Amino acid sequence: MKLVFNDATELVIQSADIQSDGGLLIKTISASEEDLKTMFQDQTKTKKMVVKERESTLGEYENYTNMDAIVKYTAGITGVILYKVGETPAEKIEALTAENAELKKTVDMLQGCILEMSELVYQ
């Protein structure tokens, strides 16, 4: 199986899977950690990646340009975790926290309106 980068370079891989948190995990044994850092930190190179096996396309991944980590597994397997810009777990939590704060303000405002309306009705 191979990963074809946006610039047409290739990397032999074992797997490429979207994780439950939205990250793309690519596992390989065919490159050093330093080579992987160089490859996957190049945002132009990772703009679009295609996974192929025997010239059949198994998957296409676009805009996974934010390299988050390199993970070492047993048997010499190295994994690279990539996210789309703005979609890392920390960024998602930050966005949800801000959205939650806005919703709380809206709920507080609506509760105030309901209280005012109920006072008008019972006067």
Side-chain angles (χ1 to χ4, degrees):
M1 184 177 333
K2 65 183 175 182
L3 181 70
V4 181
F5 292 99
N6 194 41
D7 64 359
T9 58
E10 298 178 356
L11 173 68
V12 176
I13 63 169
Q14 275 54 52
S15 65
D17 300 299
I18 301 292
Q19 304 299 294
S20 60
D21 66 355
L24 172 61
L25 173 60
I26 298 169
K27 292 182 181 177
T28 185
I29 60 170
S30 53
S32 70
E33 188 175 333
E34 285 304 313
D35 289 341
L36 292 173
K37 281 182 187 177
T38 302
M39 282 183 237
F40 288 100
Q41 285 179 338
D42 183 342
Q43 292 185 351
T44 303
K45 186 183 214 66
T46 58
K47 179 93 172 135
K48 181 176 181 182
M49 298 174 285
V50 179
V51 176
K52 292 187 173 193
E53 186 168 29
R54 296 189 182 114
E55 299 310 315
S56 295
T57 300
L58 301 180
E60 291 187 20
Y61 304 98
E62 291 191 45
N63 299 317
Y64 284 89
T65 57
N66 187 358
M67 188 183 84
D68 187 61
I70 292 183
V71 182
K72 292 186 179 185
Y73 297 95
T74 57
I77 297 172
T78 305
V80 179
I81 301 171
L82 302 153
Y83 290 96
K84 292 183 176 183
V85 173
E87 294 188 14
T88 65
E91 291 168 326
K92 285 180 180 180
I93 288 171
E94 187 177 310
L96 288 171
T97 301
E99 183 179 338
N100 190 35
E102 287 299 315
L103 287 172
K104 187 173 180 348
K105 288 179 189 176
T106 302
V107 167
D108 290 344
M109 181 194 66
L110 289 172
Q111 285 176 336
C113 290
I114 291 170
L115 287 173
E116 284 180 34
M117 290 173 60
S118 64
E119 286 176 6
L120 290 173
V121 169
Y122 291 112
Q123 284 183 355

